[in-house]
Amino acid sequence: MAITDLISLALECDMEIQEEQCALTSRVLVSRMPELLELAKIARGKVDSKFGRLIKEDSSCEAPRKAGDTNLMKYPVGFCKPICKQVFEELKQSELIKDWVAQGGAFKTVYIMLYGKYFQNAIQIGNLYLDVANDTVDPTKHFLEWMPIEDLDYKNLECWEQVSEVVESYYHCRVIPNRYFPLLAAFVPLMVIRSNGVLELLIFQDQFFFKDLGDGMKRYIEWLSNDSRKVHRSLTNKQQRLLAQGFGSNDFDKFAFEYKPSTNEGLVQQAEELYQASQGENGEVLVRKLIELAHQSTKRFNAKEIVLS
């Protein structure tokens, strides 16, 4: 898939009221909501059964060691994305949704910040919000919630300051801007100190990067350039020494990105250079390689489990 297509898909993850959907939602969809909710209930039951089988088959399944971990032992907590995606695919095959889409009705998955506290994968159908994974933060809640979008307290991912606040709430961690691996930072801007004291690089989704890349990285650059206290946080000297012990040798066979602590101004420059390079003849190859190496390197970094004292 081309980078331009990935940018378009990222933009589609935003949720918004569409004027042309208002009359159609009222005329066609509202009266069929009982049928739609029953289909959603059946689809969610299929997903629960699938994960139930995985839990029984996974003999290595252990309790999570830090707050915010996704782990089969705590299903459905933390499984918002796979539940939403699989229910969406089930619903897409139904005659109701096929009929709805044929009439011009909107039907897509969205990724939003909800109530200023957590990230949520959900479904937009017409001008309605449909959450089929409402129990993935608090398992005591009913799994299903729906309402008109205009009644929902939500924000699309637009501002790194707001995103970092929700990261701290959702993952029960402390955010540190990634100023230690500047070539990686535009794609992985956040390091986090988890509830057990472990320092991690955080990749929680790719969409916001692609959305920002399509706009010249302006959101990331604006965040680095503001006066908030969070964006100016750094590791202590002692914590940086621990980080340097693991990555300061810059052995690129073990970790693909240079350890080179930077200022916010330096990170801005790196982001601007990345955007300019992405517009060049080999820009798509460069961006794809960055993403590939970023995911590999993040896994390697987090596997080291650097505990900060």
Side-chain angles (χ1 to χ4, degrees):
M1 186 177 294
I3 298 300
T4 52
D5 294 329
L6 293 172
I7 291 171
S8 296
L9 287 174
L11 292 170
E12 287 181 13
C13 289
D14 286 351
M15 185 168 70
E16 54 191 0
I17 296 174
Q18 301 173 18
E19 191 65 33
E20 67 274 13
Q21 294 288 313
C22 290
L24 190 62
T25 300
S26 298
R27 178 171 55 85
V28 177
L29 190 59
V30 173
S31 64
R32 301 192 70 178
M33 283 308 295
E35 182 183 355
L36 175 62
L37 297 180
E38 181 61 24
L39 289 171
K41 179 181 177 181
I42 293 170
R44 174 60 193 269
K46 291 181 180 179
V47 176
D48 289 344
S49 296
K50 175 182 175 181
F51 277 102
R53 290 192 297 272
L54 290 175
I55 292 170
K56 290 180 180 179
E57 294 168 0
D58 189 353
S59 59
S60 65
C61 200
E62 298 177 353
R65 292 181 292 172
K66 54 185 179 290
D69 259 1
T70 297
N71 188 283
L72 280 171
M73 286 289 288
K74 294 189 72 176
Y75 180 87
V77 174
F79 284 81
C80 178
K81 184 175 182 177
I83 290 172
C84 179
K85 181 179 179 180
Q86 292 177 44
V87 170
F88 177 82
E89 292 300 324
E90 288 281 342
L91 291 177
K92 191 164 68 173
Q93 305 305 315
S94 69
E95 290 304 316
L96 187 155
I97 294 300
K98 289 179 180 178
D99 178 59
W100 167 251
V101 172
Q103 295 184 64
F107 182 66
K108 65 176 186 174
T109 56
V110 295
Y111 187 70
I112 58 177
M113 298 181 292
L114 204 56
Y115 308 123
K117 294 181 178 179
Y118 50 90
F119 301 103
Q120 190 72 31
N121 292 271
I123 296 169
Q124 177 174 347
I125 177 167
N127 281 335
L128 300 180
Y129 164 81
L130 178 65
D131 180 6
V132 295
N134 190 50
D135 55 347
T136 56
V137 173
D138 180 355
T140 65
K141 290 185 176 181
H142 193 270
F143 77 91
L144 189 61
E145 180 179 64
W146 72 277
M147 66 183 70
I149 294 174
E150 62 186 5
D151 294 339
L152 186 69
D153 180 8
Y154 82 98
K155 285 184 171 62
N156 292 312
L157 276 67
E158 285 291 344
C159 167
W160 270 110
E161 186 68 17
Q162 292 177 339
V163 168
S164 62
E165 289 174 1
V166 177
V167 163
E168 290 192 327
S169 171
Y170 190 60
Y171 292 103
H172 309 285
C173 63
R174 177 177 172 82
V175 162
I176 305 289
N178 175 17
R179 63 181 82 262
Y180 304 99
F181 303 97
L183 293 175
L184 174 64
F187 185 70
V188 187
L190 304 181
M191 306 182 86
V192 295
I193 303 174
R194 302 295 292 266
S195 60
N196 61 352
V198 171
L199 178 69
E200 294 184 353
L201 289 166
L202 183 68
I203 293 182
F204 63 98
Q205 53 85 41
D206 295 353
Q207 292 101 315
F208 196 23
F209 168 76
F210 286 117
K211 182 177 177 179
D212 210 14
L213 185 66
D215 287 330
M217 301 301 296
K218 70 175 185 178
R219 298 168 184 82
Y220 176 58
I221 291 171
E222 286 173 359
W223 179 58
L224 291 171
S225 304
N226 74 29
D227 294 326
S228 75
R229 297 174 68 178
K230 192 180 275 97
V231 78
H232 294 289
R233 287 176 182 169
S234 295
L235 297 173
T236 66
N237 290 336
K238 183 177 181 181
Q239 291 169 341
Q240 287 187 53
R241 285 195 293 271
L242 285 173
L243 187 58
Q245 286 172 13
F247 298 92
S249 64
N250 287 322
D251 183 346
F252 299 122
D253 289 331
K254 295 181 179 179
F255 192 81
F257 294 91
E258 182 181 19
Y259 172 76
K260 187 179 181 181
S262 175
T263 62
N264 283 8
E265 291 78 9
L267 296 177
V268 168
Q269 182 179 346
Q270 290 287 352
E272 291 173 340
E273 290 176 358
L274 170 63
Y275 174 69
Q276 291 301 323
S278 75
Q279 302 302 296
E281 182 179 353
N282 297 315
E284 186 158 330
V285 174
L286 182 147
V287 172
R288 288 190 178 282
K289 192 62 178 179
L290 169 66
I291 295 168
E292 176 189 345
L293 291 175
H295 280 279
Q296 291 175 0
S297 298
T298 297
K299 289 180 181 178
R300 291 179 180 180
F301 183 98
N302 295 345
K304 284 184 174 290
E305 295 196 337
I306 299 174
V307 180
L308 302 180
S309 55

